[in-house]
Amino acid sequence: MDPQKYLPSSHHDSPYWTTNSGAPVWNNNSSLTVGQRGPILLEDYHLVEKLAQFDRERIPERVVHARGASAKGFFEVTHDISQLTCADCLRSPGVQTPVIVRFSTVIHERGSPETLRDPRGFAVKFYTREGNWDLVGNNFPVFFIRDGIKFPDMVHALKPNPKNHLQEDWRIADFFSHIPESMHMFTFLQDDIGIPANYRHMEGFGVHTYTLINKEGRVTYVKFHWQPTCGVKNLLEDEAVVVGGSNHSHATQDLYDSIAAGDYPEWKLLIQTMDPKDEDKFDFDPLDVTKIWPEHLFPLQPVGRMVLNKNPDNFFNENEQLAFCPSLVVPGIGYSDDKLLQTRIFSYADTQRHRLGPNYLLLPANAPKGPHHNNHHDGFMNFTHRDEEVNYFPSRFDPVRHAERHPINNTFVSGQREKRIIQKENNFKQPGDRFRSFDPARRERFVNRIAGMLSDPKCTQEVRRVWIGYLSQCDASLGQKVAAKLQSNGAF
């Protein structure tokens, strides 16, 4: 008998109810008891198994990005960038690659409303012929911090108070009063784009600087951008109240219903590129994740399009068990020395091993679609079929060999061991430029949101003064307006 023929399935491939081991169950309605009234007998294995399985239906919730929705589709190359990268999935126009995408809110719990002001995750898994490539980003092009050592602190500050489980502005204001580089991110989060109308009308950004490597080994810095073809739409506060009041899963439903109706969401993938030799020519560090690359200096270049045309077959399998890791790249695409990216390379895979187990990449949604072979085996939930006698490398009994060599980022690295911030901080120029680009009404709404956060009664005057100092360095009028607003409501 071929054991592979009888892998577990959700299909009704048995005419009767069975236990997980396949034993027939003749009564799935009543527990085994002593007499009609009980007590229940522990030897009722089906009852024990049923309850034990139910007790374990929920896996640990993601610490961040807990609330999300996913969809499947394809990515198609539309423009030739083979001069920049030897990535097989980007080799020529017309090449298509299956993808699965997960959109999410970042801070709030799995059952939270999708109308809360919060960054949104935008994660794409490409099932390429050379393994999976995970492009894990957000709907904003920058981030709060530039060094991953502050990531746990940042999340703790944004998450609910551990004493009362309430998200409180004073905690956020206090933490970020120590993080001046966060001002740029706040010009996005507290702007009108802070609440996307839904996932279909939302931009995506790789956020970090990655590298492209061509077949000659030439390295190019790159930033990835996703632009929705249907345009960008957002909700102001009063609109969010209306939408959220009637449906706390409005974005998930919008995505699902649109795909089901054949109105397939589509995004264009564009890139910005930079020669690493030029990285010292600007007033910002190109690897600083709190900065954008100005488009007039680094124009957007089209690469391809992504179409989502299929809903998940099962929400748990293809959303809750779906796992993304920025560490998953393919030949021709690599990392940069971005400090935050370097920590995410470790932390994302590590959290998936905790959340789903060491063999999370064997789950169908996460597994590569092509052949794969190594000697990583055993551990929790390893369900691969193995009958090898040789589980070491190299061996004359195992014909599997090294793959063909591919170019890697071989740029020279040298320096003294040290724990320091980067030299070119320039924390306030770009957020000031962004604020000045707003029209007057948009500026006023932004000021009101910042002042509202700083008006929390537990927010100290010292924290308010630090924030006004930061905002004034971004733009003198911005600091004055926030200070005036605080004075008018008696908070300053």
Side-chain angles (χ1 to χ4, degrees), residues 110-330:
R110 189 159 55 191
S112 57
E114 292 179 311
T115 49
L116 297 178
R117 184 172 296 275
D118 194 9
R120 301 302 196 266
F122 194 120
V124 183
K125 186 184 294 291
F126 298 77
Y127 297 107
T128 86
R129 300 193 305 184
E130 294 185 315
N132 291 352
W133 169 31
D134 286 3
L135 183 54
V136 188
N138 287 333
N139 67 320
F140 301 145
V142 296
F143 202 61
F144 294 104
I145 55 173
R146 61 166 67 99
D147 192 320
I149 199 169
K150 297 306 299 175
F151 192 83
D153 302 294
M154 179 201 74
V155 173
H156 288 167
L158 291 167
K159 285 279 191 179
N161 185 326
K163 183 174 182 178
N164 59 21
H165 201 66
L166 298 173
Q167 188 184 38
E168 297 175 321
D169 284 339
W170 68 268
R171 288 165 38 85
I172 298 171
D174 174 37
F175 174 74
F176 287 108
S177 71
H178 301 276
I179 314 292
E181 65 266 30
S182 67
M183 293 299 105
H184 199 188
M185 180 65 166
F186 276 101
T187 65
F188 287 88
L189 180 62
Q190 298 289 10
D191 181 24
D192 290 352
I193 65 173
I195 308 175
N198 52 55
Y199 295 132
R200 290 184 301 122
H201 293 87
M202 188 175 80
E203 288 183 290
F205 300 89
V207 183
H208 298 285
T209 299
Y210 290 88
T211 54
L212 297 177
I213 308 153
N214 69 8
K215 60 184 179 181
E216 287 80 29
R218 180 165 60 89
V219 175
T220 302
Y221 285 153
V222 63
K223 280 185 175 286
F224 296 100
H225 301 248
W226 295 105
Q227 289 186 351
T229 58
C230 59
V232 177
K233 293 182 180 180
N234 304 288
L235 300 174
L236 296 181
E237 283 82 351
D238 55 346
E239 297 170 319
V241 169
V242 173
V243 172
S246 59
N247 184 358
H248 82 298
S249 299
H250 81 284
T252 296
Q253 183 169 0
D254 174 83
L255 179 66
Y256 189 94
D257 289 350
S258 296
I259 294 174
D263 183 13
Y264 302 139
E266 181 175 335
W267 286 261
K268 294 179 180 178
L269 177 63
L270 304 106
I271 58 174
Q272 292 176 290
T273 59
M274 179 192 300
D275 189 329
K277 294 177 182 177
D278 296 334
E279 63 179 328
D280 296 326
K281 295 182 178 179
F282 310 100
D283 62 2
F284 63 94
D285 187 330
L287 305 188
D288 180 358
V289 77
T290 69
K291 304 293 187 293
I292 62 167
W293 293 1
E295 291 182 17
H296 70 279
L297 297 176
F298 307 96
L300 295 172
Q301 308 168 46
V303 176
R305 68 187 189 113
M306 179 174 69
V307 178
L308 301 183
N309 57 10
K310 192 174 190 305
N311 280 311
D313 296 306
N314 178 273
F315 184 85
F316 181 79
N317 291 347
E318 295 179 314
N319 189 296
E320 294 306 298
Q321 290 194 127
L322 187 56
F324 292 91
C325 307
S327 49
L328 300 186
V329 294
V330 294

Side-chain angles (χ1 to χ4, degrees), residues 13 31 96 154 189 253 263 333 344 357 368-369 388 400:
D13 50 8
S31 303
Q96 289 192 357
M154 179 201 74
L189 180 62
Q253 183 169 0
D263 183 13
I333 299 171
R344 290 180 76 207
K369 301 307 181 187
E388 298 94 335
V400 177

Side-chain angles (χ1 to χ4, degrees), residues 35-64:
Q36 293 182 9
R37 300 182 64 243
I40 293 174
L41 293 173
L42 185 61
E43 68 183 65
D44 188 346
Y45 174 77
H46 173 57
L47 168 67
V48 173
E49 180 183 79
K50 188 175 183 179
L51 293 178
Q53 184 79 31
F54 175 76
D55 292 344
R56 292 160 176 80
E57 278 185 4
R58 297 295 180 265
I59 60 178
E61 180 175 294
R62 289 171 170 89
V63 178
V64 287

